[in-house]
Amino acid sequence: MKLFIDTANTEEIVITENMGIICGVTTNPTLLSREGHNPREMACKIADIVNGPVSYEAVSTDADGIVREGKEIAAIATNMVVKVAMTSEGLKAIKRLSELGIKTNATLIFNENQALLAARAGATYVSIFIGRLVDRGVDAIGITRNIRMIFDTNDIEAEIIAASIRNTEQVTQCALAGAHIATVPYRVLTEMVEHPLTTAGIEKFMEDWKKVSEK
Ligand code: G3P
């Protein structure tokens, strides 16, 4: 499973990019609004930092509007991906954008049928919102596993992005369930680095090294 970072914060993107752990970025209107700068300028900066795909959401609700926005987003940089909400108008827009060779990320996917529809419309990525489903007591990991099975059985090329990730355990579970990508917040990525036995092990090695290096 590949890892993207789910953020619009350029510092977080630079840090994780320098660690070599991420190969893409997903943003959404909420994440962009938190940064308080011009969103298109931020997208431009982000697309410059990472080589991989950068998802940026079209906010129009009609297909014509989404396609118009999608063309503008795609023109920001070659690695831009147009995020499109899962609606009937969104599906129409995904179809038209994919015919134009513009990559799309169908977002706000909550079940197998929505994922299948988005993939059939031509989405490059389908984003299943794990945390928001778990918040409601739904087996989001089971749904992810089913989507992967449906895609594999039907030779569907769209990649599954596990989004709305709340903790490190969900990252592991999504990897086991067959998500192609997890888009993970910075806090969770940093928590994935750590283990108490790693910290204790480093301390012990340092302590012992001091003894021998003084000889
Ligand atoms: O970018 C979509 C998704 O990751 C949002 O997550 O935490 O708002 O459910 P969250």
Side-chain angles (χ1 to χ4, degrees), residues 57-75:
E57 201 148 332
V59 291
S60 300
T61 50
D62 63 300
D64 286 343
I66 299 169
V67 171
R68 193 171 47 248
E69 268 188 76
K71 287 180 188 167
E72 289 167 11
I73 294 165

Side-chain angles (χ1 to χ4, degrees), residues 41 180 206:
E41 282 170 20
H180 299 95
M206 290 304 162

Side-chain angles (χ1 to χ4, degrees), residues 6 26-28 31 83 107 129 131-132 163-166 183:
D6 197 25
T26 52
T27 68
N28 63 36
L31 293 171
K83 239 181 170 184
T107 190
F129 276 38
R132 292 191 197 183
S164 181
I165 296 287
R166 306 265 194 263
T183 187

Side-chain angles (χ1 to χ4, degrees), residues 84-96 114 117-119 121:
V84 181
M86 175 62 209
T87 62
S88 300
E89 289 299 301
L91 289 172
K92 282 189 219 165
I94 287 170
K95 176 184 185 290
R96 285 165 55 188
Q114 288 184 317
L117 291 175

Side-chain angles (χ1 to χ4, degrees), residues 71-179:
K71 287 180 188 167
E72 289 167 11
I73 294 165
I76 294 174
T78 52
N79 53 338
M80 292 303 293
V81 173
V82 184
K83 239 181 170 184
V84 181
M86 175 62 209
T87 62
S88 300
E89 289 299 301
L91 289 172
K92 282 189 219 165
I94 287 170
K95 176 184 185 290
R96 285 165 55 188
L97 289 168
S98 92
E99 284 166 357
L100 292 168
I102 295 174
K103 290 187 173 166
T104 55
N105 175 355
T107 190
L108 291 160
I109 300 272
F110 292 95
N111 64 31
E112 295 87 340
N113 287 339
Q114 288 184 317
L116 179 60
L117 291 175
R120 286 304 185 205
T124 317
Y125 305 100
V126 299
S127 286
I128 166 115
F129 276 38
I130 303 295
R132 292 191 197 183
L133 281 167
V134 171
D135 290 347
R136 290 172 164 249
V138 179
D139 177 16
I141 302 302
I143 294 173
T144 305
R145 192 176 299 113
N146 290 345
I147 295 173
R148 179 60 193 260
M149 211 184 297
I150 292 166
F151 282 16
D152 286 353
T153 308
N154 294 281
D155 292 327
I156 288 172
E157 280 178 17
E159 290 194 288
I160 303 161
I161 302 182
S164 181
I165 296 287
R166 306 265 194 263
N167 56 54
T168 57
E169 180 57 22
Q170 286 175 350
V171 178
T172 310
Q173 292 306 319
C174 288
L176 289 169

Side-chain angles (χ1 to χ4, degrees), residues 5-16:
I5 186 166
D6 197 25
T7 189
N9 182 290
T10 49
E11 266 176 55
E12 294 177 353
I13 296 167
V14 169
I15 293 168
T16 49

